[in-house]
Amino acid sequence: MNTPKRYTITAALPYTNGPIHIGHLAGVYVPADIYARYLRLKGEDVAYICGSDEHGVAIPMKAKKEGVSPQEIIDKYHAIIKKSFQDFGISFDNYSRTSAEIHHKTAADFFTKLYNQGDFIEETTEQLFDEQANQFLADRFVIGTCPKCGFDGSYGDQCESCGTSHNATDLINPKSAITGNIPTVKATKHWFLPLDRYEGFLREWILEGHKNDWKPNVYGQVKSWIDDGLRPRAVTRDLDWGIPVPLKDAEGKVLYVWFDAPIGYISSTKEWAVREGKNWEDYWLNDDTKLVHFIGKDNIVFHCIVFPSMLKAHGDFILPENVPANEFLNLEGNKLSTSKNWAVWLHEYLEDFPNQQDVLRYTLTANAPETKDNDFTWKDFQAKNNNELVAILGNFINRVFVLTHKYYDGFVPTPGEFSPIDEDVLASLKEFPNTIGKSIERYRFREASQELMNLARLGNKYLADEEPWKVIKVDEERVKTIMYVALQIVAGLTVVSEPFLPFTATKLKNLLNIVFCKKDKGISWADVAEKDVLLQPNHQIGQGELLFSKIEDSTIEAQLEKLIATKKINEQENKQTSPQKPTIDFEDFTKLDIRIGTILEAANVPKTKKLLHLKVDVGMDVRTIVSGIAESFSPSEIIGQQVSVLVNLAPRNIKGIESQGMILMTETKEGKLAFVEPSEKVTNGKEIS
């Protein structure tokens, strides 16, 4: 399109059934924030829009599980999510929620217009029904065996094991997740959006029109869907949580969450426009507005096929100019999982790394999953901080501040004649806004972040080559020029780092005593590329401070230990409970002589990892027992421990030691062995019956 007059930037609405983690930041919100901040620094008219997605079956499911109302769930997580975004500097112009009245009205009006235009198909279909709960079972309220791979924990809409999409009625042996009962099949009426009607439009608009400018991962997925043939998709469902279908004969039915959620972008823009005194239609109906959706790859079909078809059917709205979806971020080699707690939660990160939001923002940007899944590791996080933010960016800026105060009491010196090296460096500085900007405009945020670091490298090299701390001894006038040039680089870094490191840029802006995008003494993105002088001679700067601090190995080890503990818990929870052994008679049980004993001595069995050589007082005598518990207990910590011992077990020779019994053990949920012991101390030799 021609140069747009304004930009509408949307970020995927986070679902309010839990907090958000680094995968969300890396996939959607940091890239979108970099883009929005960059455009604002250029002086563009920007509406950066988001909000909480608060409908759908997962909300009432979680509410039932926790014994609270759906409203309590969405209020709790809306507040947590909104605060996390604020804490990490995600600069939404408006963050709304789909439970808001303005959204209910906007979504209902949207549905009504399409209904009145005859854009829906009305069909009666058979769906699963729970007689005891007296309700139709939405997809996630049904669990059964996947018809494709045989996984017996598949949901009604998708198998978590093989990823196949299907209908709930396709499941083998389906059960209600509410009552556990076997559901019946019952007829129900719903309205469908016939996506097949829009195949021609989508082929022309995306497959032809955006062949060369959309990301390959997005284009490829869209092409696959279209080539496979599009089918009608239900826009309503039987549920008591959501936006009521605005029709007389639709009692007990709500708008399907996939239909109402993207309309949340529009209602959030309306909410913002009312507050700011703007016209929301300029941002959604005018062809001179550029609309960009930032999403993760799991939302591509909704933002590139379904929502555009809805907008096309409506007829009044502009279409997205781009949908730069990212792939997924993994954590230490494993897929991020909220249900398994395999994640770095944003609110927990700030507890462990206070005031270090920019470190995480930078690491996630430099390692963003832009074209393929990528991996976040704590070691890489440490390296990005120590080797780049501290050693390159922070080091350069700190040296410039220190030397400026040492030599000139914090005032920008008046330069003398520029050498060819000075002129080359100042010319190079002017190139960086365009280089970084082009990468941002092509949604290559990793590339842009490295160009930012290259500007800091330029500054470091310049100081290292010119050595003002040495030259000051022989040519004070030359040092004035060197420091003047270095300060111009610092000012340029302050501006172009703002989209990536907003907290750091704010500190620098205050230390340099400058503002952004103001007519008087401000500096804009264009100024860095065009102006010869960013900081005038005699301009005073504040005392410098360390912008970044080194992260020690012990800090990283603590994070890795947290993940290891989580992994052990997950492994334990995923273990299948052993099936019951064959039934025995009471007489068989009475043959077991189990008594309480006390461990008197313990030592490792040589050349083994698991075995301990024990002396145990079992009342009638002291037994020698070899037990495989060395990986869970050290010899010294179990002296005096009361244990349960099977004393009439036939002796066995283990590693040359005759073992005269067996100690009874079980496992904790972390996988650690635990003794089966009395709750109170008892006399050795007491029988267990």
Side-chain angles (χ1 to χ4, degrees), residues 1 202-216 219 319-323:
M1 67 184 301
L202 292 169
R203 284 186 181 276
E204 181 180 353
W205 172 56
I206 299 177
L207 301 189
E208 296 300 325
H210 290 292
K211 184 185 300 182
N212 299 318
D213 62 330
W214 279 23
K215 294 170 68 172
Y219 184 88
L319 298 171
E321 192 69 22
N322 212 314
V323 186

PDB file of all heavy atoms in Angstrom, residues 1 202-216 219 319-323:
ATOM      1  N   MET A   1       0.842  -1.186   0.000  1.00  0.00           N
ATOM      2  CA  MET A   1       0.000   0.000   0.000  1.00  0.00           C
ATOM      3  C   MET A   1       0.882   1.242   0.000  1.00  0.00           C
ATOM      4  O   MET A   1       2.073   1.189   0.295  1.00  0.00           O
ATOM      5  CB  MET A   1      -0.922   0.004   1.226  1.00  0.00           C
ATOM      6  CG  MET A   1      -0.213   0.159   2.565  1.00  0.00           C
ATOM      7  SD  MET A   1      -1.338   0.054   3.985  1.00  0.00           S
ATOM      8  CE  MET A   1      -2.483   1.402   3.658  1.00  0.00           C
ATOM      9  N   LEU A 202      -9.810 -15.509  -0.742  1.00  0.00           N
ATOM     10  CA  LEU A 202      -8.584 -15.768   0.012  1.00  0.00           C
ATOM     11  C   LEU A 202      -7.415 -16.114  -0.914  1.00  0.00           C
ATOM     12  O   LEU A 202      -6.277 -15.712  -0.671  1.00  0.00           O
ATOM     13  CB  LEU A 202      -8.820 -16.897   1.020  1.00  0.00           C
ATOM     14  CG  LEU A 202      -9.782 -16.565   2.170  1.00  0.00           C
ATOM     15  CD1 LEU A 202     -10.157 -17.827   2.938  1.00  0.00           C
ATOM     16  CD2 LEU A 202      -9.169 -15.541   3.119  1.00  0.00           C
ATOM     17  N   ARG A 203      -7.707 -16.869  -1.970  1.00  0.00           N
ATOM     18  CA  ARG A 203      -6.643 -17.194  -2.924  1.00  0.00           C
ATOM     19  C   ARG A 203      -6.088 -15.934  -3.576  1.00  0.00           C
ATOM     20  O   ARG A 203      -4.871 -15.766  -3.705  1.00  0.00           O
ATOM     21  CB  ARG A 203      -7.175 -18.142  -4.008  1.00  0.00           C
ATOM     22  CG  ARG A 203      -7.349 -19.571  -3.547  1.00  0.00           C
ATOM     23  CD  ARG A 203      -7.730 -20.491  -4.703  1.00  0.00           C
ATOM     24  NE  ARG A 203      -7.918 -21.851  -4.211  1.00  0.00           N
ATOM     25  CZ  ARG A 203      -6.941 -22.718  -4.025  1.00  0.00           C
ATOM     26  NH1 ARG A 203      -5.691 -22.355  -4.316  1.00  0.00           N
ATOM     27  NH2 ARG A 203      -7.178 -23.929  -3.575  1.00  0.00           N
ATOM     28  N   GLU A 204      -6.988 -15.064  -3.985  1.00  0.00           N
ATOM     29  CA  GLU A 204      -6.544 -13.839  -4.653  1.00  0.00           C
ATOM     30  C   GLU A 204      -5.836 -12.903  -3.683  1.00  0.00           C
ATOM     31  O   GLU A 204      -4.779 -12.349  -3.983  1.00  0.00           O
ATOM     32  CB  GLU A 204      -7.750 -13.133  -5.284  1.00  0.00           C
ATOM     33  CG  GLU A 204      -7.376 -11.851  -6.012  1.00  0.00           C
ATOM     34  CD  GLU A 204      -8.581 -11.162  -6.625  1.00  0.00           C
ATOM     35  OE1 GLU A 204      -9.699 -11.743  -6.594  1.00  0.00           O
ATOM     36  OE2 GLU A 204      -8.422 -10.035  -7.124  1.00  0.00           O
ATOM     37  N   TRP A 205      -6.424 -12.750  -2.489  1.00  0.00           N
ATOM     38  CA  TRP A 205      -5.891 -11.774  -1.528  1.00  0.00           C
ATOM     39  C   TRP A 205      -4.557 -12.226  -0.931  1.00  0.00           C
ATOM     40  O   TRP A 205      -3.600 -11.455  -0.846  1.00  0.00           O
ATOM     41  CB  TRP A 205      -6.922 -11.526  -0.420  1.00  0.00           C
ATOM     42  CG  TRP A 205      -6.422 -10.689   0.713  1.00  0.00           C
ATOM     43  CD1 TRP A 205      -5.876  -9.432   0.630  1.00  0.00           C
ATOM     44  CD2 TRP A 205      -6.402 -11.052   2.093  1.00  0.00           C
ATOM     45  NE1 TRP A 205      -5.515  -8.990   1.883  1.00  0.00           N
ATOM     46  CE2 TRP A 205      -5.833  -9.957   2.797  1.00  0.00           C
ATOM     47  CE3 TRP A 205      -6.811 -12.171   2.817  1.00  0.00           C
ATOM     48  CZ2 TRP A 205      -5.662  -9.975   4.179  1.00  0.00           C
ATOM     49  CZ3 TRP A 205      -6.655 -12.177   4.186  1.00  0.00           C
ATOM     50  CH2 TRP A 205      -6.084 -11.084   4.850  1.00  0.00           C
ATOM     51  N   ILE A 206      -4.477 -13.488  -0.518  1.00  0.00           N
ATOM     52  CA  ILE A 206      -3.262 -13.968   0.155  1.00  0.00           C
ATOM     53  C   ILE A 206      -2.320 -14.685  -0.810  1.00  0.00           C
ATOM     54  O   ILE A 206      -1.166 -14.294  -0.971  1.00  0.00           O
ATOM     55  CB  ILE A 206      -3.606 -14.909   1.321  1.00  0.00           C
ATOM     56  CG1 ILE A 206      -4.454 -14.192   2.374  1.00  0.00           C
ATOM     57  CG2 ILE A 206      -2.325 -15.437   1.972  1.00  0.00           C
ATOM     58  CD1 ILE A 206      -4.889 -15.078   3.522  1.00  0.00           C
ATOM     59  N   LEU A 207      -2.816 -15.755  -1.453  1.00  0.00           N
ATOM     60  CA  LEU A 207      -1.925 -16.600  -2.242  1.00  0.00           C
ATOM     61  C   LEU A 207      -1.336 -15.861  -3.435  1.00  0.00           C
ATOM     62  O   LEU A 207      -0.221 -16.173  -3.880  1.00  0.00           O
ATOM     63  CB  LEU A 207      -2.651 -17.866  -2.689  1.00  0.00           C
ATOM     64  CG  LEU A 207      -3.199 -18.755  -1.560  1.00  0.00           C
ATOM     65  CD1 LEU A 207      -3.689 -20.085  -2.114  1.00  0.00           C
ATOM     66  CD2 LEU A 207      -2.147 -18.985  -0.477  1.00  0.00           C
ATOM     67  N   GLU A 208      -2.065 -14.879  -3.959  1.00  0.00           N
ATOM     68  CA  GLU A 208      -1.528 -14.059  -5.048  1.00  0.00           C
ATOM     69  C   GLU A 208      -1.008 -12.717  -4.534  1.00  0.00           C
ATOM     70  O   GLU A 208       0.115 -12.321  -4.817  1.00  0.00           O
ATOM     71  CB  GLU A 208      -2.602 -13.831  -6.118  1.00  0.00           C
ATOM     72  CG  GLU A 208      -3.058 -15.105  -6.812  1.00  0.00           C
ATOM     73  CD  GLU A 208      -1.919 -15.823  -7.538  1.00  0.00           C
ATOM     74  OE1 GLU A 208      -1.032 -15.139  -8.082  1.00  0.00           O
ATOM     75  OE2 GLU A 208      -1.929 -17.069  -7.555  1.00  0.00           O
ATOM     76  N   GLY A 209      -1.834 -12.038  -3.730  1.00  0.00           N
ATOM     77  CA  GLY A 209      -1.495 -10.680  -3.315  1.00  0.00           C
ATOM     78  C   GLY A 209      -0.372 -10.571  -2.306  1.00  0.00           C
ATOM     79  O   GLY A 209       0.330  -9.550  -2.248  1.00  0.00           O
ATOM     80  N   HIS A 210      -0.179 -11.605  -1.477  1.00  0.00           N
ATOM     81  CA  HIS A 210       0.851 -11.537  -0.430  1.00  0.00           C
ATOM     82  C   HIS A 210       1.889 -12.654  -0.569  1.00  0.00           C
ATOM     83  O   HIS A 210       2.517 -13.051   0.410  1.00  0.00           O
ATOM     84  CB  HIS A 210       0.198 -11.583   0.950  1.00  0.00           C
ATOM     85  CG  HIS A 210      -0.559 -10.331   1.283  1.00  0.00           C
ATOM     86  ND1 HIS A 210       0.054  -9.117   1.499  1.00  0.00           N
ATOM     87  CD2 HIS A 210      -1.902 -10.102   1.399  1.00  0.00           C
ATOM     88  CE1 HIS A 210      -0.863  -8.193   1.763  1.00  0.00           C
ATOM     89  NE2 HIS A 210      -2.053  -8.766   1.705  1.00  0.00           N
ATOM     90  N   LYS A 211       2.076 -13.095  -1.801  1.00  0.00           N
ATOM     91  CA  LYS A 211       3.021 -14.180  -2.071  1.00  0.00           C
ATOM     92  C   LYS A 211       4.449 -13.801  -1.676  1.00  0.00           C
ATOM     93  O   LYS A 211       5.218 -14.640  -1.207  1.00  0.00           O
ATOM     94  CB  LYS A 211       2.971 -14.536  -3.555  1.00  0.00           C
ATOM     95  CG  LYS A 211       3.839 -15.712  -3.956  1.00  0.00           C
ATOM     96  CD  LYS A 211       3.821 -15.906  -5.474  1.00  0.00           C
ATOM     97  CE  LYS A 211       2.419 -16.173  -5.974  1.00  0.00           C
ATOM     98  NZ  LYS A 211       2.383 -16.411  -7.445  1.00  0.00           N
ATOM     99  N   ASN A 212       4.781 -12.537  -1.842  1.00  0.00           N
ATOM    100  CA  ASN A 212       6.174 -12.114  -1.685  1.00  0.00           C
ATOM    101  C   ASN A 212       6.469 -11.346  -0.406  1.00  0.00           C
ATOM    102  O   ASN A 212       7.642 -11.066  -0.125  1.00  0.00           O
ATOM    103  CB  ASN A 212       6.585 -11.261  -2.888  1.00  0.00           C
ATOM    104  CG  ASN A 212       6.486 -12.015  -4.201  1.00  0.00           C
ATOM    105  OD1 ASN A 212       6.864 -13.181  -4.266  1.00  0.00           O
ATOM    106  ND2 ASN A 212       5.947 -11.368  -5.220  1.00  0.00           N
ATOM    107  N   ASP A 213       5.429 -10.968   0.364  1.00  0.00           N
ATOM    108  CA  ASP A 213       5.716 -10.138   1.539  1.00  0.00           C
ATOM    109  C   ASP A 213       5.296 -10.767   2.863  1.00  0.00           C
ATOM    110  O   ASP A 213       5.639 -10.250   3.927  1.00  0.00           O
ATOM    111  CB  ASP A 213       5.066  -8.752   1.393  1.00  0.00           C
ATOM    112  CG  ASP A 213       3.549  -8.820   1.292  1.00  0.00           C
ATOM    113  OD1 ASP A 213       3.028  -9.822   0.777  1.00  0.00           O
ATOM    114  OD2 ASP A 213       2.881  -7.857   1.715  1.00  0.00           O
ATOM    115  N   TRP A 214       4.556 -11.878   2.841  1.00  0.00           N
ATOM    116  CA  TRP A 214       4.210 -12.541   4.094  1.00  0.00           C
ATOM    117  C   TRP A 214       5.265 -13.600   4.424  1.00  0.00           C
ATOM    118  O   TRP A 214       5.896 -14.168   3.535  1.00  0.00           O
ATOM    119  CB  TRP A 214       2.826 -13.184   3.999  1.00  0.00           C
ATOM    120  CG  TRP A 214       1.716 -12.186   4.215  1.00  0.00           C
ATOM    121  CD1 TRP A 214       1.789 -10.828   4.037  1.00  0.00           C
ATOM    122  CD2 TRP A 214       0.384 -12.463   4.623  1.00  0.00           C
ATOM    123  NE1 TRP A 214       0.573 -10.242   4.305  1.00  0.00           N
ATOM    124  CE2 TRP A 214      -0.313 -11.224   4.670  1.00  0.00           C
ATOM    125  CE3 TRP A 214      -0.299 -13.620   4.955  1.00  0.00           C
ATOM    126  CZ2 TRP A 214      -1.646 -11.125   5.044  1.00  0.00           C
ATOM    127  CZ3 TRP A 214      -1.633 -13.532   5.316  1.00  0.00           C
ATOM    128  CH2 TRP A 214      -2.294 -12.292   5.370  1.00  0.00           C
ATOM    129  N   LYS A 215       5.439 -13.848   5.716  1.00  0.00           N
ATOM    130  CA  LYS A 215       6.445 -14.810   6.161  1.00  0.00           C
ATOM    131  C   LYS A 215       6.118 -16.201   5.604  1.00  0.00           C
ATOM    132  O   LYS A 215       4.945 -16.601   5.561  1.00  0.00           O
ATOM    133  CB  LYS A 215       6.497 -14.842   7.691  1.00  0.00           C
ATOM    134  CG  LYS A 215       7.001 -13.545   8.296  1.00  0.00           C
ATOM    135  CD  LYS A 215       6.828 -13.488   9.797  1.00  0.00           C
ATOM    136  CE  LYS A 215       7.717 -14.464  10.530  1.00  0.00           C
ATOM    137  NZ  LYS A 215       7.677 -14.263  11.986  1.00  0.00           N
ATOM    138  N   PRO A 216       7.156 -16.949   5.210  1.00  0.00           N
ATOM    139  CA  PRO A 216       6.922 -18.273   4.616  1.00  0.00           C
ATOM    140  C   PRO A 216       6.120 -19.214   5.512  1.00  0.00           C
ATOM    141  O   PRO A 216       5.301 -19.993   5.019  1.00  0.00           O
ATOM    142  CB  PRO A 216       8.337 -18.811   4.386  1.00  0.00           C
ATOM    143  CG  PRO A 216       9.198 -17.592   4.275  1.00  0.00           C
ATOM    144  CD  PRO A 216       8.583 -16.579   5.204  1.00  0.00           C
ATOM    145  N   TYR A 219       2.432 -17.989   5.190  1.00  0.00           N
ATOM    146  CA  TYR A 219       1.920 -18.236   3.840  1.00  0.00           C
ATOM    147  C   TYR A 219       1.723 -19.737   3.600  1.00  0.00           C
ATOM    148  O   TYR A 219       0.692 -20.166   3.058  1.00  0.00           O
ATOM    149  CB  TYR A 219       2.895 -17.655   2.820  1.00  0.00           C
ATOM    150  CG  TYR A 219       2.426 -17.756   1.385  1.00  0.00           C
ATOM    151  CD1 TYR A 219       1.638 -16.762   0.811  1.00  0.00           C
ATOM    152  CD2 TYR A 219       2.780 -18.852   0.598  1.00  0.00           C
ATOM    153  CE1 TYR A 219       1.214 -16.858  -0.506  1.00  0.00           C
ATOM    154  CE2 TYR A 219       2.359 -18.961  -0.716  1.00  0.00           C
ATOM    155  CZ  TYR A 219       1.575 -17.959  -1.271  1.00  0.00           C
ATOM    156  OH  TYR A 219       1.156 -18.054  -2.574  1.00  0.00           O
ATOM    157  N   LEU A 319      -8.650  -4.980   5.591  1.00  0.00           N
ATOM    158  CA  LEU A 319      -8.034  -6.278   5.851  1.00  0.00           C
ATOM    159  C   LEU A 319      -6.606  -6.076   6.344  1.00  0.00           C
ATOM    160  O   LEU A 319      -5.983  -5.052   6.062  1.00  0.00           O
ATOM    161  CB  LEU A 319      -8.034  -7.120   4.569  1.00  0.00           C
ATOM    162  CG  LEU A 319      -9.407  -7.466   4.005  1.00  0.00           C
ATOM    163  CD1 LEU A 319      -9.260  -8.113   2.636  1.00  0.00           C
ATOM    164  CD2 LEU A 319     -10.178  -8.382   4.950  1.00  0.00           C
ATOM    165  N   PRO A 320      -6.061  -7.052   7.078  1.00  0.00           N
ATOM    166  CA  PRO A 320      -4.684  -6.896   7.564  1.00  0.00           C
ATOM    167  C   PRO A 320      -3.686  -6.813   6.411  1.00  0.00           C
ATOM    168  O   PRO A 320      -3.778  -7.566   5.441  1.00  0.00           O
ATOM    169  CB  PRO A 320      -4.458  -8.142   8.423  1.00  0.00           C
ATOM    170  CG  PRO A 320      -5.480  -9.122   7.958  1.00  0.00           C
ATOM    171  CD  PRO A 320      -6.661  -8.318   7.532  1.00  0.00           C
ATOM    172  N   GLU A 321      -2.745  -5.898   6.545  1.00  0.00           N
ATOM    173  CA  GLU A 321      -1.679  -5.768   5.552  1.00  0.00           C
ATOM    174  C   GLU A 321      -0.634  -6.862   5.748  1.00  0.00           C
ATOM    175  O   GLU A 321       0.010  -7.290   4.811  1.00  0.00           O
ATOM    176  CB  GLU A 321      -1.020  -4.390   5.677  1.00  0.00           C
ATOM    177  CG  GLU A 321      -0.106  -4.012   4.541  1.00  0.00           C
ATOM    178  CD  GLU A 321      -0.848  -3.774   3.234  1.00  0.00           C
ATOM    179  OE1 GLU A 321      -2.079  -3.494   3.272  1.00  0.00           O
ATOM    180  OE2 GLU A 321      -0.222  -3.887   2.179  1.00  0.00           O
ATOM    181  N   ASN A 322      -0.494  -7.323   7.006  1.00  0.00           N
ATOM    182  CA  ASN A 322       0.440  -8.403   7.285  1.00  0.00           C
ATOM    183  C   ASN A 322       0.046  -9.092   8.584  1.00  0.00           C
ATOM    184  O   ASN A 322      -0.580  -8.484   9.455  1.00  0.00           O
ATOM    185  CB  ASN A 322       1.881  -7.891   7.383  1.00  0.00           C
ATOM    186  CG  ASN A 322       2.888  -8.929   6.899  1.00  0.00           C
ATOM    187  OD1 ASN A 322       2.807 -10.097   7.253  1.00  0.00           O
ATOM    188  ND2 ASN A 322       3.832  -8.490   6.076  1.00  0.00           N
ATOM    189  N   VAL A 323       0.422 -10.359   8.681  1.00  0.00           N
ATOM    190  CA  VAL A 323       0.190 -11.162   9.888  1.00  0.00           C
ATOM    191  C   VAL A 323       1.508 -11.876  10.196  1.00  0.00           C
ATOM    192  O   VAL A 323       1.676 -13.062   9.879  1.00  0.00           O
ATOM    193  CB  VAL A 323      -0.958 -12.166   9.701  1.00  0.00           C
ATOM    194  CG1 VAL A 323      -1.257 -12.881  11.020  1.00  0.00           C
ATOM    195  CG2 VAL A 323      -2.210 -11.479   9.177  1.00  0.00           C
TER     196      VAL A 323
END
